Amino acid sequence: MTTISSASAAFTGNDPGNRLYGPVPDVSEQAGYVDEHPKRVGFFTDTSVCIGCKACEVACKEWNTLPMDDAHGKRDAIGMSGMSYDNTGMLGANSWRHVAFIEQTRTVDLPMPSIGLPGEKNRPELADLPAPDTGDLDTTAKAQASVLNAEALSEFDPQTGQTGADKQIRWLMSSDVCKHCTHAGCLDVCPTGALFRTEFGTVVVQQDICNGCGYCVPSCPYGVIDQRKDDGRVFKCTMCYDRLTDGLQPACASACPTQSIQFGDLDELQARADARLATLQEQGVETARLYGRDENDGVGGAGAFFLLLDEPEVYGLPPDPIVTTRDLPAMWKAAGKATLMMIGVAATAILGSRRR
Amino acid sequence: MTQGITTPGAGWRRADGPPAQKTQKRRRKGGGRRGRNAEIAMVDEVEFTSYYGRPIIKPPVWKTPDVPLYLFLGGAAGSSSILAAMADLTDRPALTRVARVTAGAGSILSVVALVHDLGRPERFLHMLRVFKVTSPLSVGTYILSPFSAAAGATAAVELLGWFPRLKRFGGVVSALFGGPLATYTGVLLANTAVPSWHHFHTKLPFVFGGSGMAAGGGICMAFTPVDQAGPARKMAVTGAVIELAVVHQVENDMSIVSEPYHEGRAGKLMRAAKACTAAGAGLTVLAGRTRAGAVASGTLLAAGSLLTRFGVFDAGMASARDPKYTVIPQRERVKGAGDGSLPTGTSVPAPDVVL
C-alpha cells in the first residue's frame, strides 16, 4: 500500500539519504507517491512581460473565494498602501498572488537622440525619422505581436519610458506567489501534518487538520504563508489543487493576458525559462536572471520560479533563502548537549552538597 | 532610446526614494522613538535594498505573553524535575517536595499557555496524529505530553501523600523529559527563518537550558528550608552563569543579527534580564543561606529568566519585522559564495558553545 506521508520528504523512507536540502529528482515520489503519479508542475513567472494588470490577483481571489484585505493583511479593510500602485502589499492568508510594483529611475549621461522642442533649430534627426505614425497599423500591430521578442522589447519596452534627455524611468512588475519549494520549510515544521505534498509536487494546507499553531508562518523563508486572525488557521496558495485534479490550469495563469505567468510541467517550464533568459541576454538584457530555478539553492529549487530584471530584494524576495530545517541536525545536537549539561550541573549540585 | 532594460545592471534606483536604505537611518515601524538606542554601533553602516522597507519574512504570529511564558515555565519545570529526582534518590525530602510541586505546576501551566496560543485550541490533539523530527513543535509535543502527565501526577501524589513508590517512578520519568523540555524550546525558536533566532541555532538551547536552571533552582531555593536547599542554590548559580555567558556570546556576535538584542524593547528586556540574573546569582552566593536572602535571590533569578525569554522573543520579532536583517546577511553569504570562499547555498553556522 502506498502511504502518503505529511512528514518531511527526507523522513518518509523513500529517500535513503534523508536529505533536508539539495536537489531532489522526484519530489512526489519522495513524498510517498511511489506508483504512477503526475509530473511535477509549477509556475514560471516572466516579469519582463508583466504589465501589472493584477488579473492574476483577481482571478485567484475569485476562484478561491478569498476575503478582502488591505495592504497589511487586515481582513475586510480597504486601505491604500500609500507607496505605489501596489495596494495588495504582500502575500498573506488572503492574497495568494501579489503584484509587486517598483518605479525606478536612473540618469543617463550618454547623448540621447531626441526630437527637441518644436521650432528648435538643429534638428538633424528629424529628417531621418519616419513620418509620425498616423495609422500605420501594420507596423504597430507587428511590433505588439512580437512583444515577447526581446528585440522588440528593447524598442517598445512597456516598462521603460523616458522623461527627459538625462533621465529614464522604468516600472518593474512581478506577480509573486508561493514558491512550492522542493524543501518546504512550512511543510517540514508543521506539527499536525496539515501541510502536505500533493501528487503534483505542490504544497497544500489541509484546512480540516490545521490547528493554527502558526509555526509555518515564521518558517517560510519567503514570508508567504500567514494566519487569518479571526479564523486561527493558516492559508496559502494551493496552486489551485482543485483545478489541477480536474485537468485545468490554475486561475492566475488562465487570467494572465501577457503569458507572464506560465503554468506547466516544471521541467518544461525550466527549459522554456532557460531559453528565454538566453534570448534576453543575447539581446543585451544583462540584468535578467532566473530566481528559484537553481536546484542547488537553499530550498532545492522552487516549483514557482521567476525571471527578474533586478536583484531579488528589490521585489521583496530574499536574495539567498535557505530552508530552516537544513540546520536542524545541528540544532538537535546542541539541544542534546545542553540537556546533558543540565543533568551534569544538577548531579554536580546534588553530589557537591552535604546532606543534613 | 535603446538604453531601456538592455543596459547592463546599474544605475537603476527607486524613483521615489534612495536606491538603498542606510541601516542607521532606518526607523522601525511601530518602534517609534524607543527603537533607537544608538549607543552601541555594532555594525558599520550598510546599504541594502528592500521593497518599500517592508519585511520579507512574516513575523511569528505567536502571542505574547503566551509563548515567552511557556518558554519560561518549561525551563523552570524541566530543571526542577531533574533536581527533584536527584534529591529524591539522595533522600532530601523537603527539596524533593518543593521541586516536584514546581515541576508539576510549571508543566500544567505551560500546557495551558501552549494550548491557549493555538489559533484553534480545540484542535490541540491534532498535534498527536503525527510525529515529525523535522518539526521541533511536534517533538516538543511528545516531550511535553509525557512530562506534564508524569510531573503533574507526581506533584499531585506528593501533595496527597499517596503511592510513595509510584511517586519515585513518576519523578524519574518526568526528570528524563525535563532536560529536553527545557532545551528543545531553543530549537523551537531557532528552526524558523527569523534571522536573530536562526543564526544562533546552536546557542539558544544553551541559553534556555542555563536560564531554566537559574529559574528552577531559584524557585526551589526560595521555598525550601535553607539547610536542604544547597543543591538548588548551586544549580541556580551555575545556570545563571551559563545563561549570562552564552547570552554574552549571542549579543556580541559579529553578525548584524545581534543588533536586535541591543535595541528597542528587546534591548531593555535583555539588559534588565542580565541585571536580575547577575544580582540574583551574586545574592545567592552572599546571602543564599538565610531565609530572606534565599527568597530575594530566588525571585531575582526567576525574574531574570523570565525577562531573558521575553527579550529573546522580542529580539526575534524585531529582526523579522525589519528587512535588513534578512537581506544583509544573505547578501554577504552570496558575496562570500561568489568569491569562491564558500560553495553556493552554505552558510557559516554559529560555532558550538564551548563551556
Side-chain angles (χ1 to χ4, degrees):
Chain A
M1 196 191 92
T2 306
T3 49
I4 308 305
S5 174
S6 49
S8 168
F11 290 92
T12 51
N14 297 311
D15 180 8
N18 284 352
R19 282 166 299 180
L20 289 167
Y21 62 100
V24 175
D26 187 344
V27 278
S28 307
E29 185 185 25
Q30 194 199 33
Y33 301 90
V34 282
D35 301 330
E36 206 172 301
H37 62 82
K39 284 175 87 175
R40 185 179 184 186
V41 296
F43 285 128
F44 166 45
T45 307
D46 180 354
T47 72
S48 68
V49 290
C50 177
I51 56 170
C53 69
K54 305 187 192 180
C56 49
E57 286 190 16
V58 176
C60 176
K61 285 232 176 195
E62 286 281 335
W63 180 263
N64 295 297
T65 57
L66 301 181
M68 177 171 81
D69 64 347
D70 72 358
H72 300 280
K74 194 178 167 213
R75 188 168 168 176
D76 298 333
I78 295 181
M80 297 291 180
S81 67
M83 60 191 192
S84 70
Y85 290 137
D86 173 15
N87 289 312
T88 309
M90 59 183 191
L91 290 174
N94 308 319
S95 301
W96 298 350
R97 272 275 177 191
H98 161 231
V99 178
F101 190 102
I102 305 111
E103 189 169 347
Q104 289 182 324
T105 182
R106 69 169 175 185
T107 48
V108 183
D109 51 0
L110 294 167
M112 301 296 294
S114 67
I115 310 290
L117 293 169
E120 195 185 331
K121 285 172 188 167
N122 299 325
R123 293 163 69 194
E125 311 96 329
L126 203 55
D128 305 332
L129 285 171
D133 184 5
T134 52
D136 186 2
L137 290 172
D138 194 35
T139 319
T140 315
K142 257 192 229 156
Q144 280 173 349
S146 63
V147 71
L148 288 171
N149 173 294
E151 197 176 351
L153 193 64
S154 64
E155 285 176 36
F156 297 95
D157 179 9
Q159 299 180 342
T160 310
Q162 201 172 5
T163 58
D166 58 349
K167 197 177 166 203
Q168 282 184 314
I169 64 157
R170 71 168 176 175
W171 290 346
L172 298 178
M173 287 151 284
S174 166
S175 182
D176 196 9
V177 69
C178 171
K179 316 300 176 291
H180 296 274
C181 311
T182 302
H183 297 285
C186 59
L187 192 158
D188 281 356
V189 304
C190 177
T192 62
L195 277 149
F196 76 110
R197 179 84 55 187
T198 72
E199 65 271 34
F200 300 100
T202 55
V203 179
V204 175
V205 187
Q206 302 175 78
Q207 294 303 342
D208 54 338
I209 302 295
C210 175
N211 71 358
C213 76
Y215 201 11
C216 50
V217 176
S219 301
C220 173
Y222 304 95
V224 170
I225 196 165
D226 204 1
Q227 188 180 41
R228 257 180 221 164
K229 290 283 177 289
D230 52 340
D231 182 289
R233 293 173 298 174
V234 294
F235 296 84
K236 76 166 191 72
C237 165
T238 65
M239 212 180 268
C240 286
Y241 189 32
D242 50 347
R243 290 173 67 93
L244 295 191
T245 48
D246 280 350
L248 295 167
Q249 62 173 344
C252 54
S254 315
C256 182
T258 64
Q259 291 182 23
S260 171
I261 299 172
Q262 300 177 31
F263 169 82
D265 292 339
L266 191 60
D267 50 0
E268 210 173 283
L269 289 178
Q270 285 170 341
R272 208 183 297 171
D274 293 342
R276 172 71 176 152
L277 179 69
T279 312
L280 282 175
Q281 280 177 341
E282 207 173 283
Q283 301 289 344
V285 189
E286 284 176 32
T287 55
R289 81 278 315 268
L290 295 178
Y291 178 80
R293 160 76 177 86
D294 183 7
E295 288 174 352
N296 294 302
D297 70 7
V299 299
F305 63 104
F306 301 81
L307 188 149
L308 303 179
L309 297 175
D310 205 334
E311 301 293 344
E313 60 263 37
V314 170
Y315 297 87
L317 296 164
D320 184 25
I322 288 181
V323 61
T324 182
T325 35
R326 188 196 70 170
D327 299 320
L328 195 56
M331 295 182 212
W332 283 132
K333 228 167 102 184
K337 280 189 206 161
T339 301
L340 291 178
M341 171 195 82
M342 287 181 72
I343 293 169
V345 169
T348 316
I350 290 279
L351 298 175
S353 303
R354 211 156 17 97
R355 193 155 59 86
R356 303 185 189 203
Chain B
M1 222 13 216
T2 53
Q3 297 301 305
I5 55 168
T6 60
T7 302
W12 289 111
R13 45 160 62 205
R14 219 169 81 195
D16 51 348
Q21 287 134 318
K22 296 207 167 150
T23 57
Q24 299 298 305
K25 286 182 185 162
R26 293 273 310 132
R27 194 178 297 155
R28 203 168 300 124
K29 187 181 270 181
R33 307 278 140 196
R34 64 203 167 145
R36 301 297 316 160
N37 281 320
E39 80 277 33
I40 313 159
M42 290 295 295
V43 187
D44 292 337
E45 214 167 277
V46 189
E47 283 204 344
F48 77 107
T49 320
S50 74
Y51 185 65
Y52 301 97
R54 300 201 126 218
I56 287 185
I57 65 159
K58 291 268 183 297
V61 291
W62 295 327
K63 299 181 204 103
T64 320
D66 296 25
V67 167
L69 203 59
Y70 166 67
L71 302 177
F72 165 75
L73 290 167
S79 61
S80 300
S81 70
I82 300 176
L83 195 61
M86 290 190 178
D88 185 31
L89 294 173
T90 55
D91 194 22
R92 300 168 206 259
L95 180 60
T96 309
R97 192 177 167 83
V98 169
R100 276 179 179 164
V101 172
T102 307
S107 70
I108 301 302
L109 287 174
S110 60
V111 171
V112 172
L114 194 61
V115 172
H116 183 254
D117 185 61
L118 295 177
R120 289 286 180 97
E122 75 278 10
R123 291 184 175 179
F124 172 70
L125 288 175
H126 286 196
M127 296 275 198
L128 298 171
R129 67 185 280 280
V130 288
F131 174 69
K132 291 167 74 173
V133 280
T134 55
S135 171
L137 193 49
S138 176
V139 175
T141 303
Y142 287 94
I143 294 170
L144 180 62
S145 304
F147 177 81
S148 56
T154 309
V157 292
E158 177 74 50
L159 291 174
L160 294 168
W162 300 345
F163 317 119
R165 287 235 181 91
L166 206 61
K167 202 161 65 179
R168 176 163 288 180
F169 174 71
V172 170
V173 170
S174 61
L176 286 177
F177 289 100
L181 179 69
T183 55
Y184 104 84
T185 47
V187 180
L188 182 72
L189 296 194
N191 192 43
T192 60
V194 175
S196 290
W197 291 342
H198 186 89
H199 183 76
F200 300 109
H201 59 259
T202 55
K203 291 187 178 166
L204 284 186
F206 287 91
V207 173
F208 286 7
S211 179
M213 288 193 289
I219 293 168
C220 292
M221 152 177 107
F223 290 101
T224 311
V226 285
D227 58 339
Q228 264 201 48
R233 284 195 296 269
K234 288 207 174 81
M235 186 173 89
V237 172
T238 316
V241 170
I242 292 169
E243 180 190 339
L244 288 172
V246 188
V247 165
H248 182 81
Q249 291 180 18
V250 168
E251 288 183 338
N252 292 283
D253 192 86
M254 288 304 288
S255 166
I256 190 174
V257 295
S258 280
E259 207 177 82
Y261 291 96
H262 300 278
E263 291 187 345
R265 205 165 69 124
K268 276 186 196 145
L269 288 167
M270 292 307 285
R271 282 191 290 278
K274 229 185 286 182
C276 284
T277 305
L283 198 61
T284 308
V285 174
L286 293 176
R289 283 175 184 79
T290 64
R291 190 73 271 197
V295 171
S297 49
T299 311
L300 278 171
L301 285 168
S305 172
L306 187 63
L307 288 164
T308 301
R309 310 310 172 102
F310 274 91
V312 170
F313 188 79
D314 250 42
M317 297 294 276
S319 77
R321 287 196 198 102
D322 194 329
K324 76 175 170 187
Y325 300 115
T326 303
V327 172
I328 292 171
Q330 294 192 14
R331 267 281 148 233
E332 283 168 356
R333 194 160 66 207
V334 172
K335 209 171 140 227
D339 294 344
S341 53
L342 283 171
T344 314
T346 52
S347 69
V348 184
D352 279 351
V353 175
V354 182
L355 290 167

